[in-house]
């Protein structure tokens, strides 16, 4: 609305100058005062967005063209997406806007030539879709009460981990934390500062199952917090006590690094300086099979590189936590598709 008003004012100033109602000096002064601070993008110069005109090589949305139709259906995107100001956009196009925004670090102005919509419209649609995916499907990575994490499935995951040479026979997944750098905030900088890595950052915790899907994702929290704080606040241990069992009712485990405590459903490497050969072999075998949790962290930032560009992760201006959780959900969808 503000850009439209400035445009009307600029047109009025130009009309007054053409009609000789104001002189050159007044025209330059008024035009400079009322010039918008943001660049104006002529989105009408570009052809209307049509996914059918793209092939798989041209689809820079991290999904193939046919998969985007399936993704829209899975995400339950309506035929018309209505933004907070009442603006409506086609559901398929609304699905592509956050995919384009997350795929690469880009400005909304860079997306104008692809989507052929004004920058404020792109911003509103992206925010609406991010909220929709987070609110509608965020529970899929916030609870272990999922059909694909049923006892029979967990038993299969444990068997797959054991087949890869794991010494711990009843391990179905792996837990770890990740640090995501963010832009230096204007306030409370010490809260999110990582003295070890010398960056401002947010922290997330993820549980990755043997099929390389994110089973549980918690965060963000301020970077200065320890992994044990995330474990406690996430309620993961309570969920494991209720859900982490095989088809016979025996306990199954997830495996973490030495920062985590040992619990009935959570195991860690054997600590100590004077380990026996068997203990070293145990640690080595479990270390080699816990690689998937690192793969998933890498997939999230590789598929959706905007989450890895810290200058776009501005706390207070961008929903950094929602963006990362949505990226985790989309990474699961990408793995499945």
């Amino acid at each position: 609305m503000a850009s439209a008003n400035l445009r009307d004012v600029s047109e009025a100033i130009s009309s007054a100058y053409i009609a000789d109602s104001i002189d050159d000096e007044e025209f330059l002064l008024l035009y400079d005062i009322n010039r918008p601070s943001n660049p104006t993008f002529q989105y009408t110069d570009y052809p209307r967005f049509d996914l059918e005109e793209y092939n798989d090589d041209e689809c820079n949305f991290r999904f193939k063209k046919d998969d985007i139709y399936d993704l829209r259906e899975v995400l339950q995107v309506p035929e018309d997406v209505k933004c907070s100001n009442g603006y409506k956009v086609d559901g398929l196009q609304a699905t592509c806007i956050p995919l384009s925004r997350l795929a690469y670090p880009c400005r909304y102005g860079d997306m104008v030539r692809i989507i052929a919509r004004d920058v404020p419209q792109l911003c509103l649609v992206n925010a609406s879709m991010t909220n929709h995916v987070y609110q509608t499907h965020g529970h899929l990575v916030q609870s272990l009460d999922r059909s694909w994490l049923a006892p029979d499935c967990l038993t299969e995951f444990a068997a797959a981990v054991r087949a890869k040479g794991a010494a711990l026979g009843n391990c179905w997944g792996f837990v770890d934390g990740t640090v995501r750098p963010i832009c230096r905030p204007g306030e409370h900088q010490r809260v999110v500062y990582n003295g070890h890595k010398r960056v401002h950052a947010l922290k997330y915790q993820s549980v990755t199952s043997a099929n390389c899907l994110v089973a549980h994702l918690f965060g963000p929290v301020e970077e200065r917090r320890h992994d044990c704080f995330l474990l406690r606040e996430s309620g993961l241990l309570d969920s494991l006590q209720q859900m982490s069992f095989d088809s016979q009712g025996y306990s199954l485990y997830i495996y973490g690094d030495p920062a985590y405590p040992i619990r009935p459903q959570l195991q860690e490497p054997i600590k100590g300086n004077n380990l026996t050969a068997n203990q070293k072999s145990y640690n080595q075998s479990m270390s080699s099979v816990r690689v998937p949790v690192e793969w998933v962290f890498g997939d999230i930032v590789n598929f959706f590189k905007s989450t890895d560009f810290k200058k776009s992760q501005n706390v207070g201006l961008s929903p950094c936590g929602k963006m990362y959780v949505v990226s985790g959900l989309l990474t699961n969808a990408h793995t499945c598709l």
Side-chain angles (χ1 to χ4, degrees):
M1 182 64 70
S3 61
N5 290 337
L6 286 175
R7 188 160 50 245
D8 294 340
V9 171
S10 299
E11 292 177 357
I13 294 172
S14 300
S15 299
Y17 179 71
I18 294 174
D20 292 330
S21 299
I22 55 176
D23 57 25
D24 294 349
E25 185 176 349
E26 291 173 329
F27 171 75
L28 292 174
L29 178 62
L30 291 172
Y31 194 84
D32 185 65
I33 292 174
N34 293 279
R35 183 172 56 186
S37 57
N38 295 323
T40 302
F41 296 93
Q42 298 297 330
Y43 66 96
T44 55
D45 294 343
Y46 299 99
R48 186 178 180 85
F49 176 80
D50 185 2
L51 186 61
E52 284 298 325
E53 297 181 358
Y54 287 75
N55 57 42
D56 287 339
D57 294 332
E58 296 171 333
C59 268
N60 296 321
F61 305 120
R62 296 304 186 191
F63 290 86
K64 295 181 179 180
K65 183 174 72 173
D66 292 340
D67 291 340
I68 294 178
Y69 291 97
D70 295 334
L71 182 65
R72 174 196 170 182
E73 182 178 351
V74 170
L75 294 180
Q76 302 174 9
V77 180
E79 289 293 331
D80 293 312
V81 175
K82 187 176 182 179
C83 301
S84 57
N85 67 342
Y87 178 75
K88 290 185 178 181
V89 64
D90 174 71
L92 183 61
Q93 189 174 144
T95 304
C96 293
I97 288 175
L99 294 180
S100 178
R101 177 67 171 169
L102 290 171
Y104 299 97
C106 65
R107 302 170 298 175
Y108 286 111
D110 300 325
M111 296 169 56
V112 170
R113 63 180 180 83
I114 301 173
I115 308 297
R117 291 191 179 272
D118 203 6
V119 169
Q121 298 173 357
L122 293 172
C123 182
L124 284 169
V125 175
N126 181 65
S128 297
M129 284 298 299
T130 300
N131 289 333
H132 168 76
V133 175
Y134 182 83
Q135 294 171 3
T136 307
H137 305 286
H139 67 280
L140 296 177
V141 291
Q142 294 170 350
S143 170
L144 297 180
D145 188 14
R146 307 264 70 84
S147 59
W148 64 277
L149 294 175
D152 290 341
C153 297
L154 296 185
T155 303
E156 293 182 7
F157 294 159
V161 173
R162 184 168 58 253
K164 287 294 183 179
L168 187 61
N170 294 331
C171 174
W172 65 268
F174 306 92
V175 61
D176 200 4
T178 184
V179 175
R180 300 310 322 150
I182 61 172
C183 183
R184 183 178 65 183
E187 298 179 347
H188 310 298
Q189 296 180 12
R190 289 182 179 273
V191 175
V192 295
Y193 185 70
N194 184 326
H196 175 64
K197 297 186 177 181
R198 299 181 182 274
V199 294
H200 296 86
L202 296 175
K203 207 167 189 178
Y204 301 85
Q205 173 188 274
S206 174
V207 175
T208 303
S209 58
N211 59 354
C212 291
L213 291 180
V214 178
H216 193 276
L217 182 60
F218 176 76
V221 299
E222 56 271 29
E223 207 293 321
R224 64 188 179 90
R225 296 292 189 177
H226 193 269
D227 286 350
C228 289
F229 176 84
L230 276 77
L231 181 67
R232 182 176 68 251
E233 291 298 310
S234 66
L236 178 60
L237 289 178
D238 294 335
S239 297
L240 290 172
Q241 289 176 3
Q242 299 174 10
M243 308 297 299
S244 186
F245 295 93
D246 64 12
S247 54
Q248 303 298 322
Y250 294 103
S251 293
L252 297 177
Y253 317 104
I254 61 173
Y255 186 82
D257 59 32
Y260 293 99
I262 294 180
R263 294 293 183 270
Q265 282 83 22
L266 174 60
Q267 298 296 310
E268 64 172 19
I270 300 174
K271 302 176 184 178
N273 296 325
N274 300 316
L275 300 181
T276 65
N278 288 337
Q279 290 173 333
K280 291 180 180 179
S281 177
Y282 169 86
N283 286 348
Q284 184 177 0
S285 69
M286 295 306 300
S287 177
S288 63
V289 297
R290 70 180 297 270
V291 176
V293 70
E294 303 296 344
W295 287 347
V296 169
F297 285 140
D299 286 344
I300 292 176
V301 297
N302 285 328
F303 289 148
F304 306 103
K305 288 187 175 294
S306 182
T307 59
D308 197 32
F309 184 60
K310 72 176 186 178
K311 290 186 177 181
S312 69
Q313 302 296 303
N314 197 329
V315 175
L317 295 179
S318 301
C320 304
K322 284 185 179 179
M323 290 171 61
Y324 192 82
V325 173
V326 169
S327 297
L329 285 165
L330 293 175
T331 300
N332 274 0
H334 191 278
T335 302
C336 294
L337 293 174

